[in-house]
């Protein structure tokens, strides 16, 4: 039994109990049978259309080339963004007085297989995401990069064509993630996580759920100690769970990403909204809005609001 199918069994068993009971009663009346299994609800489905079908097919075709790399997360450039509360701590040339609230932001993200099973494209992957924040319009301090975040990860990905009440479960991932800003001393930010995520969809909508366990680090003996935990409270701000939703509205596409720390007393997190419109078979216009904590690692505990416009590679 696959990992994904086992997960689906557990996820829907409780939610479907009333539905199953109703079906049992109806089947008992019609045929005298009294038993129904969760396997009747989670079923193999290769016909239901999904909003992710094009993306999945593109990945499968690319992997036919032994040297191919595919998109992992979004790849985009926002030549102009405006941020309300920029943090100068990430670059020694920046201060609270000379930092510019206008900057460029771009992200590059790719993955490639380390091991694939014989059929399909289930297997072990290496993914890498780079996100950079560039003071492009700040001539006063020679236009430096304010912050760059690096996120390598290794994960098992399993694909499946299972459906539950019309929702098609597309991929399941579980793996190891490292995230850092490549800095040292007081500017250093980093953490390691074990994570699991799942993506499911119908014809118009895409749903995404991710959670993680932070791998503990030793406490620093001194604030200038190069070893030890750079940011022990990062989960209180960055969050402990990530929820995503995407929808096609005609030619437009909308994606929302919500993170939360699951602390009702001191609730924190963030929301990111992306609106895209295709301008060719390869590129889309992108309007991006962010509000909350974790815009970058140097800003993990600093609330930010950002809006930007630019372009991205076709993602969905």
């Amino acid at each position: 039994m696959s990992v994904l199918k086992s997960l689906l069994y557990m996820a829907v068993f409780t939610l479907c109990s009333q539905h199953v009971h109703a079906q049992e009663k109806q089947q008992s009346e019609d045929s005298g049978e009294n038993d129904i299994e969760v396997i009747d609800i989670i079923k193999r489905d290769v016909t239901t259309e999904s909003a992710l079908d094009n993306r999945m097919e593109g990945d499968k075709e690319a992997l036919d080339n032994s040297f191919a790399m595919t998109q992992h997360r979004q790849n985009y450039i926002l030549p102009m963004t405006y941020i309300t509360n920029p943090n100068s701590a990430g670059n020694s040339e920046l201060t609270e007085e000379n930092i510019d609230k206008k900057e460029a932001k771009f992200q590059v993200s790719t993955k490639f297989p380390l091991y694939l099973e014989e059929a399909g494209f289930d297997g072990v992957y290496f993914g890498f995401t780079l996100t950079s924040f560039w003071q492009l319009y700040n001539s006063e301090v020679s236009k430096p990069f304010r912050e760059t975040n690096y996120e390598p990860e290794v994960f098992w990905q399993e694909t499946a064509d299972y459906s539950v009440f019309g929702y098609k479960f597309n991929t399941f991932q579980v793996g190891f993630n490292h995230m850092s800003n490549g800095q040292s001393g007081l500017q250093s930010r980093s953490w390691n996580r074990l994570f699991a995520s799942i993506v499911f969809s119908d014809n118009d909508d895409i749903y995404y759920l991710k959670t993680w366990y932070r791998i503990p680090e030793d406490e620093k003996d001194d604030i200038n100690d190069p070893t030890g935990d750079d940011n022990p409270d990062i989960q209180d701000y960055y969050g402990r769970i990530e929820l995503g939703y995407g929808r096609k509205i005609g030619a437009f596409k909308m994606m929302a990403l919500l993170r939360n720390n699951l602390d009702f007393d001191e609730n924190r997190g963030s929301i990111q909204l992306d609106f895209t419109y295709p301008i060719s078979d390869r590129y889309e216009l992108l309007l991006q809005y962010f509000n909350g904590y974790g815009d970058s690692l140097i800003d993990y505990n600093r609330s930010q609001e950002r809006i930007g416009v630019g372009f991205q590679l076709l993602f969905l």
Side-chain angles (χ1 to χ4, degrees), residues 161-284:
D161 294 316
Y162 300 116
S163 67
V164 180
F165 298 141
Y167 291 96
K168 191 173 184 178
F169 282 75
N170 304 100
T171 62
F172 170 72
Q173 294 180 354
V174 59
F176 169 82
N177 171 286
H178 170 75
M179 191 175 182
S180 69
N181 66 350
Q183 298 274 19
S184 60
L186 297 179
Q187 288 79 34
S188 179
R189 304 286 186 272
S190 68
W191 61 326
N192 299 309
R193 295 176 285 171
L194 301 175
F195 73 89
S197 68
I198 192 167
V199 177
F200 59 100
S201 59
D202 59 19
N203 193 39
D204 298 309
D205 306 282
I206 300 167
Y207 304 88
Y208 160 78
L209 171 63
K210 180 178 180 179
T211 190
W212 50 82
Y213 167 75
R214 185 186 182 186
I215 299 175
E217 299 179 62
D218 294 334
E219 185 178 348
K220 284 181 179 288
D221 295 326
D222 181 83
I223 192 171
N224 295 310
D225 191 345
T227 62
D229 197 341
D230 294 323
N231 29 248
D233 59 348
I234 189 169
Q235 292 198 113
D236 295 333
Y237 293 89
Y238 189 91
R240 294 176 172 83
I241 193 170
E242 196 169 71
L243 305 172
Y245 172 75
R247 182 174 177 83
K248 295 181 179 181
I249 309 170
F252 290 91
K253 297 168 190 172
M254 183 275 291
M255 291 182 62
L257 191 64
L258 176 70
R259 290 198 303 262
N260 196 268
N261 66 359
L262 303 180
D263 186 334
F264 293 103
D265 294 327
E266 295 185 77
N267 194 256
R268 301 185 186 98
S270 67
I271 185 169
Q272 179 174 304
L273 299 174
D274 290 344
F275 299 93
T276 62
Y277 184 82
I279 55 176
S280 72
D281 292 339
R282 186 180 295 268
Y283 300 107
E284 300 173 300

Side-chain angles (χ1 to χ4, degrees), residues 21-308:
H21 179 72
Q23 287 195 3
E24 285 179 337
K25 183 177 180 181
Q26 183 63 43
Q27 287 189 352
S28 178
E29 293 174 354
D30 294 343
S31 62
E33 296 180 359
N34 294 318
D35 296 323
I36 186 169
E37 298 180 356
V38 176
I39 197 170
D40 296 320
I41 299 166
I42 302 175
K43 58 184 179 181
R44 192 76 178 179
D45 184 350
V46 295
T47 60
T48 300
E49 294 186 354
S50 161
L52 276 176
D53 284 348
N54 290 337
R55 171 71 193 277
M56 301 289 288
E57 286 301 318
D59 281 359
K60 289 178 181 178
E61 290 176 9
L63 288 175
D64 288 338
N65 182 343
S66 300
F67 304 100
M69 293 190 294
T70 58
Q71 285 198 79
H72 183 34
R73 301 177 190 168
Q74 294 161 273
N75 287 265
Y76 60 78
I77 180 168
L78 303 173
M80 171 62 77
T81 74
Y82 180 84
I83 184 173
T84 58
N85 189 24
N87 190 347
S88 63
N91 187 294
S92 60
E93 298 298 318
L94 294 172
T95 68
E96 294 298 324
E97 288 72 35
N98 65 23
I99 196 167
D100 198 340
K101 292 186 176 181
K102 301 185 299 294
E103 64 182 12
K105 176 186 177 184
F106 63 86
Q107 179 169 288
V108 178
S109 183
T110 187
K111 70 177 186 288
F112 60 86
L114 301 175
Y115 160 79
L116 289 177
E117 293 188 335
E118 292 183 5
F121 62 137
D122 297 350
V124 179
Y125 287 78
F126 174 80
F128 182 79
T129 302
L130 179 148
T131 309
S132 208
F133 305 84
W134 183 13
Q135 290 272 292
L136 178 60
Y137 308 99
N138 196 341
S139 299
E140 183 180 348
V141 285
S142 193
K143 306 178 181 180
F145 283 86
R146 183 174 65 88
E147 169 82 340
T148 298
N149 294 160
Y150 309 92
E151 197 168 353
E153 50 194 342
V154 177
F155 56 91
W156 171 270
Q157 175 173 286
E158 184 169 329
T159 61
D161 294 316
Y162 300 116
S163 67
V164 180
F165 298 141
Y167 291 96
K168 191 173 184 178
F169 282 75
N170 304 100
T171 62
F172 170 72
Q173 294 180 354
V174 59
F176 169 82
N177 171 286
H178 170 75
M179 191 175 182
S180 69
N181 66 350
Q183 298 274 19
S184 60
L186 297 179
Q187 288 79 34
S188 179
R189 304 286 186 272
S190 68
W191 61 326
N192 299 309
R193 295 176 285 171
L194 301 175
F195 73 89
S197 68
I198 192 167
V199 177
F200 59 100
S201 59
D202 59 19
N203 193 39
D204 298 309
D205 306 282
I206 300 167
Y207 304 88
Y208 160 78
L209 171 63
K210 180 178 180 179
T211 190
W212 50 82
Y213 167 75
R214 185 186 182 186
I215 299 175
E217 299 179 62
D218 294 334
E219 185 178 348
K220 284 181 179 288
D221 295 326
D222 181 83
I223 192 171
N224 295 310
D225 191 345
T227 62
D229 197 341
D230 294 323
N231 29 248
D233 59 348
I234 189 169
Q235 292 198 113
D236 295 333
Y237 293 89
Y238 189 91
R240 294 176 172 83
I241 193 170
E242 196 169 71
L243 305 172
Y245 172 75
R247 182 174 177 83
K248 295 181 179 181
I249 309 170
F252 290 91
K253 297 168 190 172
M254 183 275 291
M255 291 182 62
L257 191 64
L258 176 70
R259 290 198 303 262
N260 196 268
N261 66 359
L262 303 180
D263 186 334
F264 293 103
D265 294 327
E266 295 185 77
N267 194 256
R268 301 185 186 98
S270 67
I271 185 169
Q272 179 174 304
L273 299 174
D274 290 344
F275 299 93
T276 62
Y277 184 82
I279 55 176
S280 72
D281 292 339
R282 186 180 295 268
Y283 300 107
E284 300 173 300
L285 285 172
L286 170 63
L287 175 66
Q288 185 178 93
Y289 173 76
F290 178 91
N291 193 323
Y293 294 91
D295 183 44
S296 70
L297 274 182
I298 204 69
D299 298 318
Y300 82 88
N301 58 357
R302 187 174 178 126
S303 183
Q304 302 281 13
E305 190 172 12
R306 178 192 298 275
I307 189 166

